Amino acid sequence: MGNNASMLTQYDIEEVQEHCHNLFTQQEIVSLYERFCQLDRNAKGFISADEFLSIPEFAMNPLSQRLLKMVDGLNFKDFVAVLSAFSVKANVQQKVQFIFKVYDSDGNGKVSFKDILEVLQDLSGPFMSDEQRERVLIRVLDEAGYSRDSYLTIDDFFKVFGDSDIKMEVEIPID
């Protein structure tokens, strides 16, 4: 795929659509490609961590450092695949998988007490002490039937989030 929107062929669009399970329309993919090209300032074909941090909403997100591990160096196709969890057409399973990846920062397929504590620290910042965070987390895990030594799997996340109506939509402007 080229470095400007005019180089995105119909085949490219359909290939990206298939890669993201048809969660975006062809017009949305073209708009995403234009945005991708704007972010890819050096026209390398991928977006670096610094380029992602140029998005104010991304840079201000308390989980931005965790998210950077997921998105640094993505090509256009994978960029769209990551964003597909935020499509209005994405189902709960796709959204839960994304949330799980945010917590499972080392990609080992399980979320430890430490992983959850790190996310809690990112979200609460200086408003809670380390001891307060640990106490809260131990209590929540205990009430849910887990201990400090437990590991949560994707199935545990599905149990927690599976019946909820998770709102993670992002509007994609279409020119």
Side-chain angles (χ1 to χ4, degrees):
M1 283 171 228
N3 293 325
N4 65 43
S6 65
M7 295 180 73
L8 194 61
T9 67
Q10 182 65 32
Y11 175 80
D12 292 333
I13 294 168
E14 290 170 6
E15 185 180 359
V16 170
Q17 235 181 342
E18 186 177 316
H19 187 69
C20 73
H21 310 289
N22 296 306
L23 293 174
F24 293 115
T25 66
Q26 291 189 3
Q27 281 184 308
E28 288 171 325
I29 289 172
V30 170
S31 292
L32 287 170
Y33 189 69
E34 290 169 357
R35 182 65 174 137
F36 179 87
C37 291
Q38 290 170 352
L39 292 170
D40 182 16
R41 290 179 290 225
N42 297 325
K44 302 172 301 297
F46 65 89
I47 303 177
S48 69
D50 288 338
E51 289 165 333
F52 269 108
L53 288 172
S54 73
I55 305 168
E57 297 84 356
F58 189 88
M60 292 175 15
N61 188 314
L63 298 175
S64 63
Q65 293 305 309
R66 274 185 174 267
L67 294 170
L68 276 179
K69 291 178 186 177
M70 296 172 60
V71 299
D72 187 23
L74 290 182
N75 63 26
F76 176 64
K77 201 166 153 181
D78 293 332
F79 172 76
V80 174
V82 166
L83 291 179
S84 66
F86 297 93
S87 166
V88 295
K89 297 178 196 168
N91 62 34
V92 171
Q93 180 179 357
Q94 291 158 321
K95 293 175 183 186
V96 170
Q97 287 171 335
F98 180 84
I99 293 167
F100 183 79
K101 287 177 186 175
V102 171
Y103 280 82
D104 182 22
S105 64
D106 61 3
N108 68 355
K110 33 187 192 179
V111 174
S112 68
F113 180 85
K114 181 179 173 264
D115 292 330
I116 301 170
L117 197 57
E118 288 172 359
V119 170
L120 188 55
Q121 182 175 7
D122 290 343
L123 293 173
S124 64
F127 300 106
M128 290 177 82
S129 69
D130 290 341
E131 296 78 27
Q132 288 172 315
R133 279 188 281 272
E134 280 197 42
R135 280 197 310 269
V136 166
L137 184 52
I138 288 169
R139 185 168 178 189
V140 168
L141 288 173
D142 185 53
E143 287 181 18
Y146 297 99
S147 74
R148 182 185 185 119
D149 299 322
S150 298
Y151 286 94
L152 303 179
T153 64
I154 188 73
D155 291 335
D156 295 313
F157 273 62
F158 284 127
K159 286 178 199 169
V160 172
F161 294 108
D163 294 332
S164 59
D165 185 25
I166 302 170
K167 297 287 185 208
M168 295 181 11
E169 288 95 25
V170 173
E171 186 176 324
I172 300 170
I174 299 182
D175 300 329

